[in-house]
Amino acid sequence: MSDSTAQHDLWPAPHAAAAVDATVHVPGSKSVTNRALVLAAHSTEPGWVRRPLRSRDTMLMAEALRAMGVQIDETVNPDGGEAWRIIPAGLHGPATVDVGNAGTVMRFLPPVAALADGPVRFEGDARAYERPLHGVIDALRVLGARIDDEGRGALPLTVHGAGQLAGGAVDVDASASSQFVSALLLSGPRFNKGLELRHTGNSLPSLPHVRMSVDMLRKAGAKVDAPEDGGRANVWRVTAGALLGRDLTVEPDLSNAAPFLAAALVTGGRVTVPGWPARTTQAGDALRDLFTRMGGSCELTDRGLTCTGSGRVRGLTADLHEVGELAPVVAAVAALADGPSQLSGIAHLRMHETDRLAALAAELNRLGGDVTETEDGLRIRPRPLRGGVFHTYEDHRLATAAAVLGLAVPGVEIENVATTGKTLPDFTELWTGMLAEPAAPAADGGPVRARG
């Protein structure tokens, strides 16, 4: 069997015969891992990234930095966890970078390449060529970089690094992606004049990810002024200066915890995710509020976060503008609710790994749902669902959303579940392992079941 055929085999989504009762150790955060790698590459001394996520997106980032001269040694901690030793070196070309379909790689690394000595070519998956990159390209040109993109404002492109970048003030319309802002901030300390970035567009999506970039920059020794500090709205300032090598342990990926916590909600069971931080900039922390509003209860203790379902799932009206990556799993849970849901503020999801709004509407309706796209989101009216093939469009979050549906709807088959390898390569093992643990007594009302 060819690799392409195997990749697109149908995976029968496991059906939950009882309420789940499990502890799920979610691997490290992709967002933290890739930011840590970029900051370590810019540092003046070696650093450590412990318990990094090993997935397609993070390995693409690591290989790209290696191609530009950064040494990344993979070792094992005394406790058995993985650790990467990053030894910065003079960034150089010529190099070719494969971004795959990773937003962090395609957007965070052109500013890094502008600081390299020599040309760096960026290529990737077909979908990557359709995703917006103009905010980063246009800003880098204003800041002094030379980039060949044949006027596309997208991949493929070549950054002709000159070993340094003037930096200074720049206006960026980041309404298509907050990664435009993070990309420039993360390299800002290395620019000769630092960086003053002003967002000029509509509301900035996924703002927690920008706060994550600012927080990690500061912990690496950078001086950053952000709007939340009382400064000018939509303006970030980064002072030129050296970054310190850090010894960083990566938090669990809270957004990747979404399907597992959702399993507790839709089966009336209980799931604990160990290591959930008491304070975090990760967008996935919003799951505590969202799933409580949808009928569950969430408790954060020294053991981690425990989500318990009540046997009933309520509809939800929510603006997910800042946490759009949670929308696919939230939409799947909403399709199993006992009332309608309205998810808004997520028009930017049309330009993610796929058009997530169109994909969710099409696939939920294919299973008998009643989902309508709105200008900036989805309207979901619960209807009896049936089994069938759920297409993933090579989008990892579509695959995990489909798995949540399969818990309550017999006969769901997920096309290309291997796409979860983008950020969660062990998803199927973690999922079946969760269901293999001894079942909990069902909450009042019992597990949610497909109606009809």
Side-chain angles (χ1 to χ4, degrees), residues 378-422:
L378 297 171
R379 185 179 300 114
I380 303 170
R381 300 180 183 89
R383 290 183 57 183
L385 300 181
R386 59 178 178 268
V389 174
F390 192 105
H391 298 281
T392 60
Y393 308 85
E394 298 187 4
D395 188 328
H396 56 131
R397 302 212 188 274
L398 269 290
T400 56
V404 172
L405 291 171
L407 294 173
V409 182
V412 173
E413 295 183 296
I414 303 175
E415 173 259 345
N416 191 17
V417 74
T419 194
T420 53
K422 187 175 192 294

Side-chain angles (χ1 to χ4, degrees), residues 57-274:
D57 279 16
T58 59
M59 295 313 296
L60 286 168
M61 179 68 83
E63 289 305 316
L65 290 171
R66 285 179 173 128
M68 286 188 273
V70 179
Q71 182 177 335
I72 303 175
D73 297 330
E74 302 173 23
T75 63
V76 177
N77 282 323
D79 64 0
E82 190 168 2
W84 293 350
R85 176 75 160 166
I86 297 93
I87 302 174
L91 297 167
H92 62 77
T96 298
V97 168
D98 176 10
V99 309
N101 191 16
T104 52
V105 182
M106 72 179 69
R107 291 163 181 152
F108 290 3
L109 289 188
V112 177
L115 296 164
D117 185 7
V120 180
R121 174 74 173 174
F122 287 83
E123 301 173 349
D125 296 353
R127 173 62 179 174
Y129 293 6
E130 301 171 0
R131 298 181 67 181
L133 194 55
H134 55 85
V136 174
I137 295 171
D138 294 345
L140 285 174
R141 285 178 173 144
V142 170
L143 296 172
R146 178 185 160 210
I147 301 174
D148 291 339
D149 69 337
E150 298 182 358
R152 288 182 300 269
L155 295 172
L157 58 85
T158 300
V159 179
H160 295 273
Q164 61 178 348
L165 196 65
V170 66
D171 290 348
V172 178
D173 181 352
S175 52
S177 174
S178 69
Q179 290 175 350
F180 295 172
V181 175
S182 288
L184 295 160
L185 294 181
L186 291 170
S187 291
R190 287 285 316 277
F191 301 161
N192 294 345
K193 300 177 184 176
L195 176 71
E196 180 177 308
L197 186 155
R198 182 169 71 100
H199 165 56
T200 60
N202 297 323
S203 180
L204 185 65
S206 305
L207 193 55
H209 286 93
V210 177
R211 296 190 185 114
M212 177 187 291
S213 298
V214 170
D215 182 65
M216 292 183 68
L217 274 161
R218 287 172 173 164
K219 289 176 178 175
K223 186 179 185 302
V224 185
D225 297 321
E228 55 265 30
D229 303 323
R232 291 166 55 195
N234 294 324
V235 175
W236 290 261
R237 294 185 181 88
V238 182
T239 302
L243 294 179
L244 308 175
R246 293 190 61 204
D247 192 327
L248 171 72
T249 299
V250 178
E251 299 172 350
D253 194 312
L254 307 189
S255 295
N256 274 343
F260 302 100
L261 298 179
L265 198 62
V266 304
T267 69
R270 178 173 60 237
V271 170
T272 297
V273 175

Side-chain angles (χ1 to χ4, degrees), residues 10 20 52 85 88 97 103 135 148 167 178 223 250 316 320 333 336 354 421:
L10 298 179
V20 300
R85 176 75 160 166
V97 168
D148 291 339
S178 69
K223 186 179 185 302
V250 178
L316 176 72
L320 301 181
V333 175
L336 301 169
T354 187

Side-chain angles (χ1 to χ4, degrees), residues 238-319:
V238 182
T239 302
L243 294 179
L244 308 175
R246 293 190 61 204
D247 192 327
L248 171 72
T249 299
V250 178
E251 299 172 350
D253 194 312
L254 307 189
S255 295
N256 274 343
F260 302 100
L261 298 179
L265 198 62
V266 304
T267 69
R270 178 173 60 237
V271 170
T272 297
V273 175
W276 197 283
R279 176 189 174 277
T280 182
T281 53
Q282 288 194 61
D285 198 42
L287 290 166
R288 293 194 284 166
D289 172 65
L290 292 170
F291 284 168
T292 297
R293 291 165 60 189
M294 298 188 82
S297 63
C298 293
E299 182 183 13
L300 183 60
T301 67
D302 291 343
R303 290 188 59 226
L305 182 71
T306 298
C307 184
T308 305
S310 63
R312 176 192 174 195
V313 178
R314 296 196 293 260
L316 176 72
T317 297
D319 183 340

